[in-house]
Amino acid sequence: MHFLDQLALGFSVVFTVQNLVYCFIGCFLGTLVGVLPGLGPVPTIAMLLPLTFGVEPVSALIMLAGLYYGSQYGGSTTAILINLPGESASIVTAIDGHQMARKGRAGTALATAAIGSFFAGTVATLLIACFAPLLAQFALQFGAPEYFSLMVLGLSASALMASGSFLKAIAMILLGILLGISGDDLYTGLPRLTFGIHDMGDGMEFVSIAMGVFGLSEIMKNLETEPERNVVVRTVKGLWLSRKDFAEIAAPVVRGTALGSILGVLPGGGALLASFASYFLEKRIAENPEKFGKGAIAGLAGPESANNAGAQTSFIPMLTLGIPSNAVMALMLAALIMQGITPGPNVINEQPQLFWGLIVSMWIGNLMLLVLNLPLIGIWVKLLMVPYRVLFPAIMTFGCIGVFTVNNNTFDVYAMAVFGIVGYILMKLDFEPAPLLLGFVLGPLLEENLIRSMLLSQGDARIFVQRPISATLLTLALLTIILVMIPALRKKRAVIFAE
């Protein structure tokens, strides 16, 4: 199918009343989630997953995608106005954005964030449309051994997402795999890791784990340390840029878009890494680096563009290979599986309306977000004044209702509560939950492809290194582990020599 025909198919899918409404809902909720500190896209998407069961797969994915990249937009509002990032990728935005607001340039800062985000999102979506089909075409050469090696690479690379101990990240991945393969064995029918609990016969429910580990634990943490919100500007004016401002942000926006588009594809990369990398790049090449941290518009434009580009290109490995590059993509992958769609390279050929509909919806969604963010600034400012202790009961209520409606089973609600406590304890012990979620999603796929590979080779494990693509992927996985371990080994060596 020709590229223009594929885009035409995407536009025909999106331009229905139903899908436009879902796109708007996703973008609006994403902005809201980004504006309100303490929510974030991961617990919100986990909470909304059960509500997508009665919805067409393409509509559900359009809404969830809009929520994700919409949260990148909304997070900049709180970062600029109250120096409190509503989303983790907006941490860098607060550095110069808030200083601009303190100097009376809040409108300019918000306009810069919106325009940079819109440009980056548009370009990143074009890159997905161009390169994702090529990657999927290559992935069609994969058999069971290649998929097993790809899963190993994805899991080893997910250790990059953890900012703390490498061993703790590996422990979380293994815990996620064990939870993912619990329940009745597909080949023998025998129960495993069910601890005699009948309700665990079909395995743990993904929504219960995601909502518990990310949603409830996040609520506990925020209630423990709810920060003060001091809004610098209550009435925002001048929501447009001068010619001089446009000239100053043009190059940083382009560089941030390029950097974010590349880093977004990498496992463990995404929006957060892209925004930090863009900020350091802009500061390094700036003529007056001393202005950074004091309200430099380039220090706002580059990172904002980078985090939105990174958020959108992170869809490429998820859609084409079935490998999530971050926790949000793991939730997206789970949404596909719940809808009965097998993620991987065949999605583009077997579900072209879903793939191209999602691509086109990103263009439409970015336009909606540009329209939403600037005129509704007054509403977002008022929402910033709502105390978190008022918000969390509503969040918990919707979470419990959502988890219960998946199987109409109270066991899932109890499981969510248990994993909420477990998630809170893990955060206190500096265990990051994202690798656990990736392990849970990829664990069953890893096991399935391992068994298929062993059946193909009649039990000969050399099949994984005898096939070139599989051997290359395993080598990359080994290199990833080595790269992650090098800083820890250097630190240990320095301690030994110091003694």
Side-chain angles (χ1 to χ4, degrees):
M1 189 184 293
H2 193 269
F3 182 68
L4 293 179
D5 294 331
Q6 292 166 333
L7 287 181
L9 172 63
F11 276 103
S12 68
V13 170
V14 175
F15 276 95
T16 62
V17 175
Q18 175 177 315
N19 287 334
L20 285 174
V21 168
Y22 277 108
C23 186
F24 178 81
I25 291 172
C27 292
F28 183 82
L29 286 176
T31 305
L32 184 64
V33 164
V35 166
L36 293 173
L39 290 180
V42 175
T44 308
I45 291 175
M47 188 166 55
L48 290 176
L49 275 180
L51 305 181
T52 63
F53 285 139
V55 180
E56 290 292 325
V58 64
S59 301
L61 211 60
I62 284 173
M63 181 182 70
L64 296 177
L67 196 154
Y68 177 42
Y69 57 78
S71 67
Q72 310 303 315
Y73 275 74
S76 63
T77 302
T78 51
I80 291 168
L81 295 181
I82 63 174
N83 198 28
L84 186 65
E87 219 283 315
S88 59
S90 298
I91 293 171
V92 182
T93 301
I95 298 174
D96 284 285
H98 186 63
Q99 291 301 318
M100 289 178 68
R102 292 177 67 88
K103 294 177 180 179
R105 303 190 68 200
T108 303
L110 291 167
T112 299
I115 293 170
S117 299
F118 174 74
F119 177 83
T122 303
V123 172
T125 303
L126 180 62
L127 292 176
I128 298 174
C130 293
F131 291 105
L134 297 176
L135 186 59
Q137 195 67 31
F138 169 72
L140 288 174
Q141 303 175 32
F142 284 23
E146 285 78 15
Y147 269 112
F148 171 81
S149 300
L150 184 64
M151 300 299 166
V152 172
L153 174 60
L155 290 171
S156 61
S158 69
L160 292 170
M161 297 170 59
S163 58
S165 167
F166 172 70
L167 291 177
K168 288 182 178 180
I170 294 296
M172 294 298 284
I173 291 170
L174 293 176
L175 177 59
I177 292 174
L178 289 174
L179 290 171
I181 63 174
S182 64
D184 295 341
D185 187 281
L186 290 174
Y187 292 89
T188 65
L190 297 175
R192 55 185 181 178
L193 301 175
T194 59
F195 305 102
I197 302 173
H198 176 72
D199 289 299
M200 288 183 63
D202 293 329
M204 292 300 303
E205 181 56 53
F206 176 84
V207 178
S208 299
I209 294 178
M211 189 58 205
V213 172
F214 284 97
L216 291 187
S217 60
E218 194 72 22
I219 288 172
M220 294 180 199
K221 186 180 78 171
N222 289 326
L223 286 174
E224 184 182 62
T225 57
E226 183 179 357
E228 290 186 24
R229 306 181 192 176
N230 299 314
V231 180
V232 174
V233 182
R234 295 178 184 274
T235 304
V236 180
K237 298 179 181 179
L239 287 168
W240 195 242
L241 302 180
S242 65
R243 189 171 297 180
K244 180 185 176 183
D245 292 330
F246 269 114
E248 288 184 10
I249 72 168
V253 165
V254 172
R255 285 191 292 264
T257 300
L259 192 61
S261 298
I262 295 169
L263 293 177
V265 180
L266 302 177
L272 182 60
L273 178 60
S275 61
F276 275 99
S278 175
Y279 187 81
F280 291 130
L281 174 64
E282 294 303 323
K283 187 175 182 179
R284 187 174 184 82
I285 65 176
E287 293 182 4
N288 300 303
E290 66 277 359
K291 291 184 178 180
F292 280 70
K294 300 176 182 178
I297 195 169
L300 169 63
E304 266 302 296
S305 303
N307 73 37
N308 279 274
Q312 300 206 2
T313 55
S314 61
F315 280 87
I316 292 178
M318 190 275 289
L319 288 172
T320 58
L321 301 175
I323 295 293
S325 59
N326 53 51
V328 175
M329 290 302 109
L331 289 166
M332 294 287 184
L333 197 69
L336 283 175
I337 295 172
M338 288 178 180
Q339 294 282 356
I341 297 171
T342 303
N346 288 319
V347 169
I348 297 179
N349 297 321
E350 296 176 1
Q351 302 279 343
Q353 71 283 354
L354 184 145
F355 179 81
W356 292 104
L358 177 62
I359 298 299
V360 172
S361 76
M362 291 181 181
W363 274 315
I364 307 302
N366 275 284
L367 184 59
M368 287 181 177
L369 286 167
L370 185 65
V371 174
L372 271 175
N373 270 264
L374 297 180
L376 299 181
I377 286 296
I379 296 176
W380 305 139
V381 170
K382 290 179 181 178
L383 281 173
L384 289 174
M385 308 307 296
V386 178
Y388 189 75
R389 62 180 179 274
V390 176
L391 292 174
F392 92 86
I395 298 170
M396 288 191 65
T397 301
F398 282 116
C400 291
I401 293 172
V403 169
F404 176 77
T405 54
V406 174
N407 297 312
N408 291 329
N409 191 348
T410 54
F411 174 78
D412 294 336
V413 180
Y414 296 138
M416 179 187 72
V418 170
F419 280 106
I421 297 170
V422 170
Y424 178 73
I425 294 172
L426 289 173
M427 280 196 289
K428 283 291 185 181
L429 296 175
D430 293 326
F431 284 86
E432 294 192 20
L436 182 148
L437 201 60
L438 293 178
F440 182 85
V441 173
L442 295 181
L445 299 174
L446 184 79
E447 180 194 28
E448 182 181 347
N449 285 289
L450 174 62
I451 294 173
R452 287 181 179 178
S453 299
M454 290 293 97
L455 290 174
L456 282 172
S457 65
Q458 297 181 344
D460 189 354
R462 289 178 297 176
I463 189 173
F464 297 111
V465 294
Q466 289 173 343
R467 298 172 69 138
I469 296 177
S470 176
T472 302
L473 293 171
L474 287 177
T475 303
L476 289 173
L478 181 61
L479 289 174
T480 301
I481 293 173
I482 293 172
L483 286 173
V484 174
M485 292 181 67
I486 284 175
L489 292 174
R490 283 179 177 172
K491 186 177 180 181
K492 186 176 181 180
R493 186 179 178 186
V495 171
I496 291 173
F497 278 107
E499 293 175 352

